[in-house]
């Protein structure tokens, strides 16, 4: 972190929703970082100089021996502290109160009976009101530390909200960071502004200006290359870099031949024609399709595409005389260190394709101007940079492209069929005004032919599966509940307009147990 804005520090105790706390703090116009609780010693915290500290929830029980604690300095530095769920409980025991194992769990929607005012509730919760919150806890505070008052109680938590306004310590058993606590974001804003006195000047306009300065300082008069994928992160990275260093930047677009209908033209048009950014469009379709000709195993397919991508990229970079830096659209969620209580390596579900590994191989420095940002902030920055809205709101698209949407062997014929079906599906989604409510939607071409009847003749063609999910981060997802008439209309269009498909099915699997992509 190297910016001059006020900072909030979030100490993570392993909650699934810690990133949401950071999102709410950022939305209040305040910069924050998430650190694992056990990597925050006094020197590091003091050097970071937070205006306030938030202790997250977590899966442990403070009643267990060796359960995690906040560093003591958190409570002696004179900065405001907000403990959420586990954070409230560890704060309670560290300040002399008592937490006991609850006899029943309180999970989901609950109501807080507001007993008192405090700085965090000002302008939001009146004494005597019942306020909706979202709870998820087993243990509960049974004796509060000296100096605290009870701001609110709930059925399962007699100390659902406690405060010591003088010391500026606050503890909530519920989760203000989730949308199911209707005033949650405003409560967090009261903490960052009214309690901590943050200026709220973390805006994308300020970020843009500072990032440009930082890029200029880092790069000097050296050359930078940036791999464009057509996605939001690499596009915003490229436009920001171009604004900072002009033609010292060259973009490389490796066209794998696995892109959707019209996609490569759009990318080339936007960057070359609209932004006048030097762009190399490497048409490597034949190379990729040749290499994939006989591969039907998903993991081998992914690995082959990843390796070929790196080779191609390196080759193009060599042809233009190399560069000193590689720019990447790495985001904050990619660099947050996570707290793990389970330990052990996790299994590889899919090997993701990206340009990781390139900088070491090519011996280049890294420019990662989006490292501090969440995805929604990258979109806001894209708007700030005047990028077209349809680019900014685009659904994510995987690096291996359509290859992982054609289970089994890929042929140019199958790719052409899939492109047409996918374009019709996306057009229907846009026409129905549903594009922005859906996280990702795409067609999949199955390696299965079925019998149908078209006119008076028998057909024997491929099955097309449609997929659409809602999600906040791609980690979990729900299938999208389209109205039947939408599905019927889209299926009819695909079968009528795409030769090669005679049956359409809709995938109603959520993640888990399914994944979003089919391979
Ligand atoms: P899964 O299929 O694992 O996908 O549920 C989760 C999200 O990741 C995207 N995805 C990828 N993105 N390279 C990427 O850049 C990849 O290799 C890759 N594989 C999956 C997927 O589209 C979804 O948004």
């Amino acid at each position: 972190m190297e910016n001059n804005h006020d900072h909030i520090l979030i100490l993570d105790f392993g909650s699934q929703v810690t990133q949401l706390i950071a999102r709410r703090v950022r939305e209040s116009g305040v910069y924050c970082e998430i650190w694992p609780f056990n990597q925050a010693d006094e020197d590091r915290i003091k050097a970071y100089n937070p205006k306030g500290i938030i202790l997250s929830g977590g899966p442990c029980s403070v009643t267990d021996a060796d359960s995690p604690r906040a560093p003591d300095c958190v409570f002696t530095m004179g900065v405001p502290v907000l403990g959420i769920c586990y954070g409230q409980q560890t704060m309670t025991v560290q300040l002399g109160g008592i937490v006991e194992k609850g006899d029943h769990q309180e999970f989901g929607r609950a109501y807080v009976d507001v007993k008192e005012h405090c700085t965090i509730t000002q302008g939001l919760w009146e004494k005597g009101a019942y306020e909706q919150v979202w709870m998820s806890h087993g243990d509960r505070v049974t004796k509060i530390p000296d100096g605290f008052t009870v701001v609110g109680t709930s059925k399962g938590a007699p100390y659902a909200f406690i405060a010591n306004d003088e010391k500026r310590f606050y503890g909530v058993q519920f989760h203000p960071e989730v949308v199911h606590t209707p005033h949650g974001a405003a409560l967090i804003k009261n903490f960052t502004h009214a309690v901590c006195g943050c200026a709220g000047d973390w805006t994308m306009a300020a970020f843009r200006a500072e990032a440009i300065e930082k890029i200029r300082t880092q790069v000097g008069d050296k050359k930078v290359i940036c791999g464009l994928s057509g996605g939001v992160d690499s596009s915003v990275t490229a436009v920001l870099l171009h604004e900072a260093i002009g033609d010292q930047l060259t973009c490389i677009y490796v066209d794998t031949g696995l892109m959707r209908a019209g996609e490569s033209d759009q990318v080339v048009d936007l960057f070359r024609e609209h932004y006048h950014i030097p762009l190399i469009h490497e048409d490597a379709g034949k190379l990729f399709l040749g290499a994939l000709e006989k591969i039907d195993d998903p993991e081998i397919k992914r690995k082959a595409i990843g390796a070929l991508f790196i080779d191609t990229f390196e080759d193009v970079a060599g042809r233009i005389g190399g560069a000193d830096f590689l720019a990447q659209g790495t985001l904050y969620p990619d660099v947050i260190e996570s707290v793990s209580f389970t330990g052990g390596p996790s299994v590889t579900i899919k090997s993701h394709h990206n340009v990781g590994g390139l900088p070491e191989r090519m011996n280049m420095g890294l420019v990662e101007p989006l490292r501090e940002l969440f995805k929604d902030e990258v979109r806001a920055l894209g708007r700030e940079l005047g990028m077209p809205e349809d680019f900014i709101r685009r659904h994510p698209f995987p690096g291996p492209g359509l290859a992982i949407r054609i289970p089994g062997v890929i042929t140019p014929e199958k790719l052409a069929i899939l492109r047409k079906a996918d374009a019709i599906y996306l057009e229907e989604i846009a026409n129905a005004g549903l594009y922005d409510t859906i996280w990702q939607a795409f067609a999949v071409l199955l390696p299965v032919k079925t019998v149908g009847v078209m006119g008076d003749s028998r057909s024997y063609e491929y099955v097309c599966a449609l997929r659409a999910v809602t999600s906040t981060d791609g980690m979990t997802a729900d299938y999208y509940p389209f109205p039947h008439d939408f599905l019927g209309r889209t299926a009819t269009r695909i079968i009528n307009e795409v030769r090669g498909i005679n049956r359409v099915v809709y995938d109603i699997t959520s993640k888990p147990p399914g994944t979003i992509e089919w391979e």
Side-chain angles (χ1 to χ4, degrees), residues 302 349-354 396-400 404-405 439-440 442 473-475 511 514-519:
R302 280 174 167 275
I349 306 289
K350 299 176 182 182
S351 30
H352 268 217
H353 155 90
N354 53 34
F397 185 65
I404 56 170
R405 295 177 179 174
W439 164 268
Q440 230 172 336
F442 52 88
D473 52 13
M475 304 290 288
K511 174 183 179 177
T515 53
I516 296 177
E517 304 289 348
W518 275 45
E519 284 198 332

Side-chain angles (χ1 to χ4, degrees), residues 21-83:
I21 305 175
R23 301 259 297 269
R24 300 289 98 82
V25 171
R26 299 271 185 105
E27 280 161 20
S28 81
V30 178
Y31 181 76
C32 63
E33 289 184 13
I34 299 173
W35 299 2
F37 73 94
N38 51 2
Q39 288 181 33
D41 60 35
E42 187 161 353
D43 291 345
R44 190 173 172 212
I45 296 179
K46 284 196 169 142
Y48 180 71
N49 193 21
K51 293 273 270 189
I53 297 176
I54 299 179
L55 310 176
S56 86
C60 298
S61 168
V62 288
T63 60
D64 290 343
D66 301 327
S67 53
R69 295 286 177 268
D72 289 336
C73 68
V74 165
F75 305 108
T76 55
M77 287 170 58
V79 296
V81 182
L82 169 62

